[in-house]
Structures are given as C-alpha cells and as structure tokens.
C-alpha cells in the first residue's frame, strides 16, 4: 500500500564511525513515518537523516560556525518540478515533527543557479507537535534548515507529501538479484532488504526479492536466505548476469503478481529510501511515463559522494555517452545542475516509444533498473549474452525513455578496483557490442567493420598480441552467434 502522510515519532541520528569499506549495514534506517491524521495525503519523499560515514553531505549540510543544519543535498532536496512533470500531482506540502524546540526555515530554489528564497519560517515547540507547510510557489526545488535550541538536539522527522490519488492498480515490485560467489556482499544487501521489510509496510507488502544463484556450490550457504519475502533460485548453470536476470524475470512473471521487475547487482549498497521513492514514483506516474524505465544513479563505494553516472545513452555510432556523471554530489551547485539537466522526455515529449532515428538511445544499467512487467511480454527477455552489454541491448530493444529521481541510487564498487579490465570482459564486450549493433543500428556493417579494424590495429601497434587474439575470437564468435541463439528475444 502507498504510505499516506502522517504525524509522529522521529529516530535519533546514529553515530557513524569511519570504516575502511562501507557496508549495507553501516547505517541506521530513518523510519520517518508519523501517526496518520492526514488520510487525504500521501508520502512522496522522506528526509533521510543519516547514511554511511563519509557520505554525510549527500544527506545533511551543516552551516559553518552555526548549529543550523540544511537539507539542501542530493538525497533530500525535493525536486518539485520533476515530480510535477512526471506525475501531474499538485498541492505539495512538507510535514515536520520534532521532539525538541527549534526554528525551521523553508526555502525554494529555481533552476540550477537561481537564488534561494525564504518561503516560511516558524518555531517548533517540540514534544511531537507536528507542523505542515504548503509548498505553493512555482519553483524547482524545496528544502528546509533547522536550528535547534540545544546544539546536540537531533533533526526533526520530515516528509514531503502530495494529495492522495488512489492508483488504478497498486504497484508491486519483484526485486531480482543475480549472484555468483559474492556471498558476503549479497548477505549484506539481503540484510538491508530484511530490515526495510521490518521498518516499512510498503516494502513488506509491495515487494518480493528473488535471488538467482549462478554457482551451485554456494546453494547450501545461501539456503538460509529464504524467507517469506525472499525466494532463492539455484541456477543449474552459470548463465551470467543476463541469464540470471532473465530467469528471475520469468519466475516473477509466472506468478502474475508484479507490475514491475527491478534488476539489481549483488554487490551494491543501498538506502531503503531508494526503494520507497521508486514505489511512490511508479504509483503516481502519468500514463505517458507508466511503461518507461527507471534508472538508479551509480555512486562510488570508495568515494561515497562521487557520482559515476545518473543518466547514460548510446549515440548513433554506438559510442557510450555519460550524459550526467563524473561529479561530486557533495557540491550543491553540481547537484542542482545535474538534477536540472535530467531530461525525462529525451527530446520527444509526446512519444511513449522513442523513434529508431533518435540521436541518443538511453538505457538503464542493471545495477538498478526498474522495468514494467508488461514489457517482457511484448519484447521478450534478455539475450543470453552472459554479461557486458546485456543491459544496453535490452534498452535498445525496448526504445523506452529512462526516468531518474534524486535519492534513487546505489553505491557500486568502482570499475577501477573491481577487475573490470580482464580479457574475458574484453571478449564479451566486443562480441556483445557487435551483436546489438547488428540488431539495432541501420549502418551496422560499417560500424562493426571500422570498430574491429581500429581495435585490432591498436592492439597490434601496442604489441598486445593476446588482446588482438581475443578481438579476433570475439569477432569470429559474433559471426556464428545468431546460428546458435535466437536474436529477437521473443523466444527467450
């Protein structure tokens, strides 16, 4: 069920000691649900009070030489214009509830560089006396700051709301995680999911987790993951990420219970607010956006405020374009620029399906990719590409827009530190790119020929004969792939 706006208790901010590596259980979940006395309103976004050590500026912004704490951050900015564009909702508001006395100020921001304007200020007396603020001005962003009477007093609980509109069909999400020999990382992610099920009724009642184990030798060690909310499927063969995600999507579709399937990597770290915002968003989308993809941003587990990407696409030459990325989300100017640059319509505001001639073809990487279940019926399941390029091929096949929202993101291991340059990756990257170029690009013969010749020449010029041999093997296997495997996806 979608969470209705409410009034109530607030958790304290946990102490986060620095650790050499961040883990899913390094932070306490901020359950900001309040006792309901506003049944006509729904919660869109909770203000997150804490995260892992080193990521504090994604959540809260302390003022220099002052006890004042701001929420003008990547996670806690309320992007009103974006919510309005995607959902058509109106009558937005902010609930704030504090146990301790202090002053709250509400600000609005216009555009990526517009000055902030003071919308309202008030004194909260504490003692769980709630306060509601209407967010009526036309502005892109809203946030608040808090000055407690006592500097040690924690921040108040807060949530952004809108009028409640019952959905024709309540969304249900099947989370699918494919794993191979990453038991510790998987266990941490599952622990986060289980804790979220305990803390949030929406996650307990509207989601289910499918874990696809691609390594049968780990079946016994993973058996205790199974519970009311978790299904473990042991794949008889290691079919890679593509095969595992496909198996999970089929299993979810066979139940007929889920409106959406969420693909996630097994080694990511996530705050449950990302799942909650995803549920709130898909429960309110306009019909134009109802069957589009939702992509979670990728932040770096080693540099917690560094964003690898928020939106990416392939151009007409099959070149990867990082449209919004490689930025520090601790910087509020960079954050506002990035969020303002998010283009939900990709240049085609009235189109539900992007045209084949689109100059940019977006896709959602499978570290966090939400797919409407109906699309599997129309377009089939992922091609058996093992891994590398499987998410790009599927995005090209669907021709859908990719939606983003601040706060929907994961921390992912950095590509530089996770063995991303092996010969196997080079082989699969080359072979799979040639496959989806053939399927989805008009001038595929020219594109593949030029790419192969240039890559081979570079390897030979660098005396890297091993890589050159891999390029030749990949090209040879690409030439025979279609004889062994159906390429349309409809049979899969």
């Amino acid at each position: 069920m979608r969470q209705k706006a409410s009034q109530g208790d607030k958790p304290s901010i946990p102490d986060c000691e620095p650790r050499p590596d961040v883990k899913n259980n390094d932070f306490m979940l901020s359950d900001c649900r309040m006792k309901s006395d506003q049944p006509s309103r729904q919660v869109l976004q909770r203000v997150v009070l804490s995260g892992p050590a080193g990521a504090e500026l994604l959540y809260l912004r302390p003022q220099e030489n002052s006890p004042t704490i701001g929420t003008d951050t990547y996670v806690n900015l309320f992007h009103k214009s974006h919510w309005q564009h995607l959902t058509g909702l109106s009558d937005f508001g902010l609930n704030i509830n504090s146990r301790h006395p202090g002053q709250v100020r509400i600000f609005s921001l216009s555009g990526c560089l517009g000055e902030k304007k003071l919308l309202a200020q008030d004194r909260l007396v504490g003692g769980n006396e709630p306060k509601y603020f209407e967010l009526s001005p036309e502005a892109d962003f809203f946030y608040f700051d808090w000055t407690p009477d006592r500097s040690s007093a924690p921040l108040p609980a807060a949530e952004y709301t809108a009028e409640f509109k019952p959905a024709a069909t309540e969304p249900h999400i099947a989370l699918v995680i494919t794993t191979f020999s990453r038991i510790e990382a998987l266990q941490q992610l599952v622990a986060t999911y289980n804790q979220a099920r305990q803390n949030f009724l929406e996650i307990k009642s509207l989601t289910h987790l499918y874990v696809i184990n691609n390594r049968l030798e780990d079946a016994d060690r993973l058996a205790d993951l199974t519970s009311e909310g978790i299904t473990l499927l042991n794949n008889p063969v290691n079919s890679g990420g593509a095969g595992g995600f496909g198996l999970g999507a089929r299993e979810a579709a066979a139940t007929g219970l889920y409106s959406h399937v969420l693909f996630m990597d097994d080694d990511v770290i996530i705050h449950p607010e990302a799942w909650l915002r995803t549920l709130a968003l898909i429960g309110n989308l306009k019909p134009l956006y109802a069957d589009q993809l939702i992509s979670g941003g990728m932040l770096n587990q080693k540099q917690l405020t560094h964003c690898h990407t928020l939106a990416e696409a392939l151009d007409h030459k099959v070149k990867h374009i990082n449209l919004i990325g490689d930025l520090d989300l601790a910087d509020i100017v960079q954050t506002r620029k990035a969020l303002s640059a998010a283009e939900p319509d990709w240049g085609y505001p009235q189109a539900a399906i992007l045209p084949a001639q689109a100059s940019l073809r977006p896709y959602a990487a499978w570290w966090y990719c939400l797919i409407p279940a109906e699309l599997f019926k129309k377009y089939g399941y992922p091609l058996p590409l093992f891994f590398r390029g499987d998410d790009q091929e599927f995005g090209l096949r669907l021709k859908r827009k990719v939606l983003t929202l601040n706060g929907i993101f994961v921390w992912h291991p950095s590509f530089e530190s996770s063995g991303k340059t092996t010969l196997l990756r080079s082989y699969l990257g080359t072979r799979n790119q040639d496959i989806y170029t053939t399927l989805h690009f008009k001038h595929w013969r020219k594109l593949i020929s030029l790419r192969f010749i240039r890559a081979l020449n570079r390897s030979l010029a660098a005396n890297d004969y091993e890589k050159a041999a891999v390029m030749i093997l990949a090209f040879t296997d690409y030439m025979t792939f279609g004889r062994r495997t159906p390429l349309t996806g409809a049979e899969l």
Side-chain angles (χ1 to χ4, degrees):
M1 59 190 300
R2 285 187 290 163
Q3 180 67 31
K4 293 186 179 181
S6 50
Q7 313 281 355
D9 296 340
K10 157 189 177 319
S12 60
I13 300 176
D15 294 325
C16 294
E17 295 298 327
R19 293 175 169 83
D21 291 296
V22 180
K23 299 180 180 179
N24 267 300
N25 56 5
D26 275 354
F27 50 84
M28 184 181 299
L29 306 183
S30 298
D31 182 355
C32 295
R33 291 171 298 169
M34 307 174 189
K35 294 179 181 178
S36 177
D37 71 351
Q38 290 183 303
S40 63
R41 301 190 66 78
Q42 61 171 312
V43 177
L44 301 180
Q45 176 175 316
R46 296 154 186 80
V47 171
V48 180
L49 302 178
S50 66
E56 294 86 355
L57 289 177
L58 294 177
Y59 301 95
L60 304 175
R61 192 172 304 281
Q63 305 299 312
E64 190 173 356
N65 300 319
S66 169
T68 300
I69 299 290
T71 58
D72 49 333
T73 59
Y74 166 68
V75 172
N76 285 329
L77 277 172
F78 182 64
H79 197 173
K80 176 188 172 183
S81 60
H82 197 56
W83 274 101
Q84 206 161 22
H85 183 89
L86 294 177
T87 67
L89 292 171
S90 59
D91 188 23
F92 297 99
L94 171 63
N95 285 336
I96 300 181
N97 191 13
S98 178
R99 292 179 179 176
H100 305 275
Q103 177 174 278
V104 63
R105 298 185 299 175
I106 317 297
F107 295 94
S108 65
L109 300 164
S110 295
C112 60
L113 297 176
E115 294 184 2
K116 67 180 181 182
K117 295 182 180 180
L118 179 64
L119 171 63
Q121 59 182 339
D122 205 344
R123 177 170 177 75
L124 304 186
V125 299
N128 283 337
E129 289 296 326
K131 186 71 177 181
Y132 174 77
F133 297 90
E134 183 179 348
L135 305 179
S136 57
E138 289 301 317
D140 292 305
F141 302 99
F142 290 87
Y143 76 95
F144 71 91
D145 67 20
W146 168 253
T147 306
D149 287 359
R150 291 187 301 107
S151 59
S152 60
L155 265 74
E159 54 195 19
Y160 292 92
T161 68
E163 80 276 19
F164 188 80
K165 291 184 177 179
T169 303
E170 199 162 37
H172 288 75
I173 298 177
L175 287 75
V176 177
I177 297 173
T178 299
T179 189
F180 182 88
S181 197
R182 287 185 180 142
I183 293 178
E184 183 179 350
L186 175 66
Q187 288 173 335
Q188 292 168 6
L189 183 54
V190 170
T192 297
Y193 178 72
N194 281 330
Q195 188 176 3
R197 282 178 58 85
Q198 294 176 13
N199 289 351
F200 297 98
L201 179 60
E202 306 95 298
I203 293 179
K204 182 177 181 180
S205 61
L206 301 179
T207 73
H208 187 89
L209 173 59
Y210 290 85
V211 176
I212 313 302
N213 173 33
N214 270 338
R215 188 172 187 265
L216 280 180
E217 293 88 338
D218 294 335
D220 291 340
R221 296 179 64 187
L222 297 177
D224 60 352
L225 296 181
T226 302
S227 66
E228 178 187 3
I230 300 175
T231 298
L232 174 66
L233 299 173
N234 292 303
N235 204 348
V237 296
N238 178 16
S239 55
F245 285 125
L247 173 59
R250 286 188 190 89
E251 289 291 328
T255 69
L257 298 175
Y258 305 104
S259 61
H260 294 76
V261 176
L262 173 58
F263 290 168
M264 288 183 61
D265 278 350
D266 61 350
D267 56 351
V268 299
I269 296 166
I270 190 169
H271 195 292
E273 176 64 12
W275 291 322
L276 292 165
R277 287 190 196 177
T278 300
L279 282 166
L281 183 59
I282 62 176
N284 288 286
L285 287 171
K286 293 177 180 177
L288 177 64
Y289 301 113
D291 71 343
Q292 308 302 319
L293 308 184
I294 294 178
S295 177
M298 175 189 158
L299 276 64
N300 191 323
Q301 286 185 14
K302 294 296 184 182
Q303 299 170 283
L304 297 180
T305 63
H306 180 266
C307 173
H308 171 68
T309 187
L310 295 178
E312 51 192 342
L314 298 174
D315 69 6
H316 66 287
K317 294 184 178 180
V318 206
K319 180 181 177 182
H320 173 261
I321 307 295
N322 191 353
L323 295 169
I324 308 174
D326 193 21
L327 49 89
D328 184 7
L329 294 180
D331 185 318
I332 187 58
V333 175
Q334 290 191 46
T335 297
R336 288 172 59 187
K337 284 183 178 180
L339 299 183
S340 297
E343 172 50 73
D345 292 311
W346 295 87
Y348 297 90
Q350 302 304 318
I353 301 176
L354 294 174
Q357 70 271 20
S359 58
L360 289 176
R361 306 186 190 188
Y363 68 95
W366 288 352
W367 51 68
Y368 192 102
C369 172
L370 186 83
I371 305 167
E374 285 295 317
L375 296 185
F376 292 109
K377 297 179 182 178
K378 294 180 181 179
Y379 297 93
Y381 293 89
L383 286 178
L385 300 179
F386 202 71
F387 69 90
R388 291 219 72 189
D390 42 4
D391 48 6
Q392 294 172 328
E393 188 284 322
F394 201 59
L396 291 167
R397 196 193 317 168
L398 298 183
K399 297 184 178 66
R400 289 314 195 270
K401 301 170 183 177
V402 176
L403 311 179
T404 61
L405 182 69
N406 63 303
I408 299 179
F409 75 100
V410 297
W411 284 285
H412 192 283
S414 64
F415 290 142
E416 293 77 11
S417 65
S418 54
K420 300 293 186 181
T421 56
T422 64
L423 288 175
L424 176 60
R425 293 186 66 84
S426 296
Y427 163 81
L428 289 171
T430 300
R431 186 200 68 171
N432 295 347
Q433 188 179 42
D434 288 348
I435 290 169
Y436 66 68
T437 299
T438 302
L439 293 173
H440 303 296
F441 288 84
K442 181 178 180 180
H443 302 293
W444 59 272
R445 293 180 179 85
K446 177 180 178 181
L447 292 168
I448 291 173
S449 298
L450 289 176
R451 190 165 60 223
F452 173 69
I453 292 170
R454 289 168 181 168
L456 187 62
N457 284 342
R458 281 195 299 268
S459 297
L460 294 174
N463 296 324
D464 192 346
Y465 302 118
E466 192 175 43
K467 188 172 183 180
V470 166
M471 295 296 102
I472 294 172
L473 177 63
F475 185 77
T476 303
D477 286 354
Y478 147 73
M479 296 290 287
T480 61
F481 185 85
R483 301 174 194 170
R484 297 177 281 106
T485 307
L487 286 179
T488 65
E491 305 95 321
L492 299 176

